[in-house]
Amino acid sequence: MWDLRADTVIHSGTGVLQVWAVAYGPIPDEIELGGPGADWHVRVYCTGREDVARIVEDEGIAEGAEQYLIQFWPCQA
């Protein structure tokens, strides 16, 4: 079902993550990761990116064409 997958590690100095959408700016909800100063594995899956150009050309807006699943889990010390 997912077209792409990417993995990385992030360091959270505050334990709180704020997500930004490129076209819309900050998303109001914050993600509570846990205590400050921790490293987290992050895995992102997405689908629908290839459909966006076609939908924009046909309809002018591609609302909901892309879907994402983002998983976080703590790095082991």
Side-chain angles (χ1 to χ4, degrees):
M1 165 166 179
W2 300 105
D3 300 329
L4 297 171
R5 180 187 118 182
D7 293 271
T8 192
V9 173
I10 63 168
H11 178 78
S12 176
T14 64
V16 177
L17 181 70
Q18 185 175 41
V19 178
W20 284 65
V22 175
Y24 302 108
I27 295 172
D29 295 330
E30 294 179 335
I31 299 169
E32 298 272 342
L33 292 175
D39 292 332
W40 294 85
H41 291 282
V42 181
R43 179 171 293 147
V44 180
Y45 295 95
C46 72
T47 189
R49 291 180 56 123
E50 291 182 6
D51 296 330
V52 170
R54 177 186 51 77
I55 293 169
V56 166
E57 187 174 310
D58 293 344
E59 302 173 24
I61 271 188
E63 186 76 28
E66 295 174 274
Q67 296 180 12
Y68 292 87
L69 170 66
I70 305 172
Q71 299 172 315
F72 297 88
W73 67 98
C75 294
Q76 299 299 323

